[in-house]
Amino acid sequence: MVYFDTDFGRIGLAICADLLWESPIVDLVQKHKIDTLLLPLYWTDYFPHQLSHSCEASWAKGLQINILSANAQSPTEWCSGSGLYTSESVRKYVHNTEESKDTLLVDNLPVHPAKNAIQWNRYAAQHVDEYDSMPESEFSEVVYGDQFKFAPILFYE
């Protein structure tokens, strides 16, 4: 595991598919107390669960760190999605599946992201009533341990 101290907090480094596993990502946060994760990647989007920008945003919020991700930009291979994420919000991101174009993202991030004692499964259960009831054509199902709402894809001409 790679991490180092700077004036901008403790920074850790992981590469691409490391994001899918407990080690090194969770270990960098829990054992080494990183504030920010640098994440270069060549991430291929797999709908609907593994879109790079949504995975990165979820990890940042769940682990309560900053994530600075830089993905390859190759629309023909479904590689897209770089961003700046904090424990509180998606600061900036790009997800362009139509053209290969370099983009520089710049924003102010907290040196030490906000930390909250949250149990995400309890939080979700407490807020489930805030979602609208579903039309007959939609349904809800548990996938990989998480509740998803499914809806038909509508095509308009």
Side-chain angles (χ1 to χ4, degrees), residues 40-128:
L41 58 158
Y42 194 94
W43 186 285
T44 302
D45 288 338
Y46 291 103
F47 295 92
H49 303 293
Q50 292 186 350
L51 301 175
S52 59
H53 61 287
S54 60
C55 286
E56 295 152 12
S58 297
W59 276 100
K61 188 170 190 170
L63 294 173
Q64 301 182 28
I65 61 172
N66 298 322
I67 293 182
L68 285 63
S69 67
N71 196 6
Q73 181 64 32
S74 178
T76 59
E77 296 179 36
W78 288 90
C79 291
S80 178
S82 299
L84 307 174
Y85 310 92
T86 72
S87 60
E88 296 176 346
S89 67
V90 174
R91 292 298 178 92
K92 296 219 171 129
Y93 80 95
V94 61
H95 186 253
N96 184 346
T97 59
E98 296 184 13
E99 62 180 333
S100 185
K101 178 177 128 183
D102 293 334
T103 304
L104 176 64
L105 302 174
V106 178
D107 204 343
N108 293 318
L109 303 177
V111 172
H112 303 290
K115 306 275 186 198
N116 300 302
I118 296 175
Q119 293 180 335
W120 292 109
N121 56 347
R122 183 176 294 162
Y123 177 87
Q126 290 171 345
H127 292 82
V128 71

